[in-house]
Each structure stands twice: as C-alpha cells, then as structure tokens.
C-alpha cells in the first residue's frame, strides 16, 4: 500500500505527478485560498506525510489530531509556522527547503532596497496619477545606494548572497550575527560589528534572521532610535522580527527615512494597516522567493523531503 500524503496548496502538475508515483496524494485544489483548519484537521488524521507552506499554522493541537504522521515538509526555508518542539516530542520529522531560494531572495531583497531608496513605486504612482507636470531639481529625490553603508543583521545564506550584490554597488558592508564568521569576512570583505554600531553607522539595514523567540522584535523602538534619520530599513525575513508599531512611529515621525517590507506580523497584511498609509513604505506580499524556477525548485525539494520521510529514509533537510 502506498503511503498517504496531503498537500495544503495546489502545486505544479510536474511535482504532484512525481509524488503520485509513490504516494496516495490528496491536495487542497484552490490556488489562491488557504486550506481551512477544518479540512486540515480531517486530513492530518489520515496521512503519513504533510506538505505545507508558510501560510499554514501547524501547531500542537493540529498535530494531536494526527495518528500516524511521520513528516511535515515545509515548502520554505523558514519554519516558524510549525511548532518544532511539539513535532519533536511526537517523533514527527520536520523539513525545509534551504539553498534553492537563496539567490532569488537576495535579488528581491536588493530590488526592494533599490525601490525604497529611489522611491520607485511612489514615482510610478505620481506619473500615472497625472502629477508629472514638469521637471524640477528636488523632484522625488531619494537616497544614494552606490557608495553607502549596508548593515546586515543575520549573515546566513541569504545575507552572504546579498553582500555580493552590494559589492557591485561599491557599498561598505557591516554585519552582526549570533556567531562571528571570520572566513566569510575575509572572503567577502565585510566587517563584524555589534548590533548597536551597525544601526548607528548603516544607511541601509537589512534583517535576515529566522523568526525565533530570540529574534522576535530584534528591531524595536530602541533599535530604530539608533538609526540615522536618512536610513532605510528592509525586512525580507519575517514580520515578527520588526515591531510594526515602533516602525510606524519611527517612519511617521521621520526618525528613519523609509522602509521596504516583504513580510508582516499578520499575512496577508490588512489593507487598513497603519504602515500602508505611509508614502515612505514600500510594501510587497511576501514574494522573496517568487520566481518561476525557484518556486518550482522549492516544490520539488519539499516533495523529495516528503517522499524520503514517508518511505522511511532520513530526509536531507531535517530541521530537527
Ligand atoms: P540561514 O542561512 O539559517 O541564516 C540565518 C542567519 O541568522 C544565520 O547566520 C544565523 O546565525 C542568524 N541568526 C539566527 N538567530 C540569530 C540571533 N538570535 N541573532 C543574530 N543572528 C541570528 O537562513 P537563510 O536561508 O539566510 O534565511 C533567513 C530567513 O529569511 C529565513 O529563516 C526566512 O525566515 C527568511 N526568508 C524569507 C523569504 C521571503 O520570501 N521573504 C525567503 C527566504 C527566507 P548562525 O550563523 O549563528 O546560525
Ligand atoms: C519564505 O518565506 C521562506 O522562508 O522560504
């Protein structure tokens, strides 16, 4: 008998067909709407494996419904949507998809940095709204990227990939991290500093840490107070690493100059969220890894992890 699996979002046929070769597959068929909790509770009782995404909360009470679940395969590198400790206590493996999205997410992080610094969205709206009546010297002026200082909090895979982009723009790069990375410093020509120094000296601050109890609100009121009034904050990590109320206060009082946000505490972010009322916020809907080849690679890797788990192998990308 084939192992049973449930997939919480519609995946490309090529990936599902591969899974069907070895598993009995059920899948939530709606592409844009998330699976309901009721359906998830019913499905998890029946399956050996679950393939889920960042928009699914896989908590202890859901896992309590499972009777023979062996593996939860997350189609993402971040896995803060899953209660890892509960899974571990129940002997359920959890996997993620590191590496295959690193370059694409670094591209998006740099694109967001540039769009925010040079006010691209605001400028496009200005033109489309018929506000472009003439050219004048201080029209839609932004911040320089070339030659500026970039501070990266979290020098992991995506952090390192971001440095390579920044070096092409002659940026000086400072970083802070849980552990110091001497080899990376030497290879990429970057400088390790404490978080306070990074915040004080950087023109751009990018946060690239996973969301954990230690990194929750790693950027809060005190951190924003240290930043330059001309500085830009970019968050492509997770909403919870930045305190959104403190960020709103800092942006609306011009304590910092602008922010580019791909991620939010609540996703989808409510359209009446205070941050979305500010012209100096560029907000995009969690599209860091969203290129066609990368999303396909992530789905394939999540499928491989899942198949390994349900077939009794140890998957390569176990998170715990
Ligand atoms: P990674 O390689 O694991 O890098 C994470 C880095 O954060 C590591 O260098 C780690 O330090 C550091 N870190 C962890 N806890 C810390 C703490 N308390 N203080 C300071 N530094 C800490 O992960 P990655 O592949 O670069 O991905 C990073 C995160 O980006 C993911 O977890 C995910 O949440 C987010 N992400 C978002 C998108 C998107 O679509 N927006 C796409 C991909 C990823 P050590 O070196 O000491 O372990
Ligand atoms: C996306 O947010 C990921 O963690 O892969």
């Amino acid at each position: 008998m084939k192992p049973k699996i449930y997939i919480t979002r519609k995946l490309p046929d090529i990936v599902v067909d591969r899974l069907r070769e070895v598993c009995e597959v059920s899948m939530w068929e709606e592409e844009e709407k998330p699976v309901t909790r009721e359906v998830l509770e019913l499905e998890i009782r029946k399956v050996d494996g679950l393939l889920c995404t960042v928009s699914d909360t896989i908590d202890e009470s859901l896992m309590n419904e499972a009777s023979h679940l062996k593996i939860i395969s997350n189609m993402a590198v971040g896995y803060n949507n899953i209660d890892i400790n509960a899974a571990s206590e129940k002997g359920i493996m959890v996997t993620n998809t590191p590496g295959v999205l690193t370059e694409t997410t670094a591209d998006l992080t740099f694109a967001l940095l540039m769009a925010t610094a040079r006010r691209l969205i605001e400028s496009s709206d200005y033109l489309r709204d018929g506000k472009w009546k003439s050219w004048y010297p201080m029209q839609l002026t932004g911040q320089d990227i070339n030659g500026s200082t970039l501070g990266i909090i979290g020098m992991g895979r995506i952090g390192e990939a971001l440095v390579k982009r920044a070096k092409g723009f002659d940026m000086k790069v400072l970083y802070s991290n849980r552990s110091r990375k001497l080899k990376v410093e030497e290879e990429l020509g970057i400088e390790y500093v404490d978080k306070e120094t990074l915040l004080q000296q950087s023109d751009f601050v990018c946060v690239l840490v996973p969301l954990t109890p230690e990194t929750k609100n790693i950027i809060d009121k005190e951190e924003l107070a240290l930043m330059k009034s001309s500085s830009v904050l970019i968050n492509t990590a997770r909403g919870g690493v930045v305190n959104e109320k403190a960020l709103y206060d800092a942006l609306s009082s011009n304590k910092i100059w602008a922010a580019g946000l791909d991620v939010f505490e609540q996703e989808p972010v409510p359209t009446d969220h205070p941050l979305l009322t500010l012209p100096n916020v560029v907000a995009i809907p969690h599209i860091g890894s969203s290129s066609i080849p990368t999303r396909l690679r992530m789905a394939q890797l999540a499928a491989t992890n899942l198949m390994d788990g349900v077939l009794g192998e140890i998957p390569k990308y176990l998170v715990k």
Side-chain angles (χ1 to χ4, degrees):
M1 225 174 48
K2 286 178 174 177
K4 291 190 174 129
I5 63 159
Y6 188 70
I7 308 173
T8 65
R9 272 303 162 107
K10 195 167 168 8
L11 291 184
D13 288 347
I14 189 170
V15 182
V16 181
D17 290 346
R18 208 177 128 230
L19 283 164
R20 283 195 205 283
E21 284 173 19
V22 289
C23 302
E24 198 179 304
V25 179
S26 301
M27 180 167 73
W28 178 254
E29 292 289 344
E30 292 202 51
E31 187 154 19
E32 295 191 17
K33 278 194 194 153
V35 61
T36 62
R37 181 77 180 190
E38 293 71 28
V39 168
L40 209 42
E41 282 174 4
L42 284 176
E43 294 293 341
I44 207 162
R45 291 178 196 152
K46 305 181 209 160
V47 297
D48 304 285
L50 180 74
L51 195 157
C52 58
T53 72
V54 287
S55 59
D56 305 310
T57 301
I58 313 295
D59 53 25
E60 185 171 12
S61 85
L62 184 68
M63 290 180 218
N64 286 340
E65 300 294 329
S67 57
H68 50 284
L69 186 68
K70 292 195 183 81
I71 176 163
I72 300 166
S73 168
N74 210 30
M75 188 185 139
V77 62
Y79 47 86
N80 53 287
N81 55 311
I82 302 171
D83 186 334
I84 299 296
N85 294 331
S88 168
E89 273 169 28
K90 294 173 193 303
I92 301 169
M93 295 181 277
V94 177
T95 57
N96 67 345
T97 59
V100 294
L101 45 55
T102 298
E103 300 297 333
T104 300
T105 308
D107 283 349
L108 188 279
T109 305
F110 206 77
L112 185 56
L113 181 155
M114 294 188 78
T116 311
R118 297 299 304 271
R119 303 170 64 179
L120 284 197
I121 311 297
E122 199 186 340
S123 296
S124 173
D125 289 347
Y126 175 90
L127 180 154
R128 286 167 186 270
D129 293 346
K131 293 181 183 159
W132 187 21
K133 305 291 185 203
S134 67
W135 184 99
Y136 60 95
M138 296 310 277
Q139 186 176 31
L140 292 163
T141 45
Q143 301 293 343
D144 267 333
I145 299 153
N146 66 84
S148 65
T149 298
L150 169 66
I152 302 178
I153 301 178
M155 189 50 63
R157 286 171 292 251
I158 302 170
E160 283 187 38
L162 185 64
V163 174
K164 294 178 189 151
R165 284 138 184 89
K167 288 289 171 177
F169 283 74
D170 294 328
M171 293 173 101
K172 174 180 174 182
V173 182
L174 309 176
Y175 82 100
S176 71
N177 197 58
R178 181 170 56 181
S179 52
R180 189 167 174 182
K181 308 212 158 165
L182 290 170
K183 193 157 170 272
V184 177
E185 284 174 37
E186 198 180 314
E187 277 170 10
L188 298 180
I190 61 177
E191 193 182 322
Y192 177 77
V193 291
D194 58 40
K195 190 174 79 174
E196 289 65 33
T197 307
L198 181 145
L199 293 163
Q200 282 162 345
Q201 295 187 3
S202 299
D203 300 302
F204 296 91
V205 174
C206 288
V207 199
L208 281 166
V209 290
L211 176 59
T212 65
E214 293 75 41
T215 62
K216 177 133 182 72
N217 292 338
I218 199 168
I219 301 292
D220 210 328
K221 190 176 177 198
E222 297 69 34
E223 285 72 25
L224 291 159
L226 293 173
M227 290 173 65
K228 299 181 189 183
S229 58
S230 56
S231 67
V232 174
L233 177 74
I234 303 295
N235 185 8
T236 50
R238 283 292 182 268
V241 303
V242 175
N243 180 330
E244 287 179 355
K245 166 79 174 70
L247 180 61
Y248 174 83
D249 291 345
L251 287 164
S252 55
S253 62
N254 299 319
K255 177 68 209 76
I256 71 168
W257 192 76
L261 307 171
D262 183 41
V263 286
F264 297 86
E265 279 171 20
Q266 183 189 335
E267 294 185 1
V269 63
T271 48
D272 62 354
H273 193 292
L275 280 169
L276 302 188
T277 64
L278 300 175
N280 50 349
V281 169
V282 176
I284 50 174
H286 202 149
I287 56 165
S289 62
S290 188
S291 73
I292 297 164
T294 292
R295 284 286 166 87
L296 192 57
R297 277 197 296 267
M298 290 165 67
Q300 291 286 26
L301 183 51
T304 302
N305 285 334
L306 187 75
M307 284 191 286
D308 286 349
V310 295
L311 295 175
E313 309 280 324
I314 302 294
K316 189 167 172 196
Y317 295 106
L318 265 189
V319 300
K320 205 167 184 181

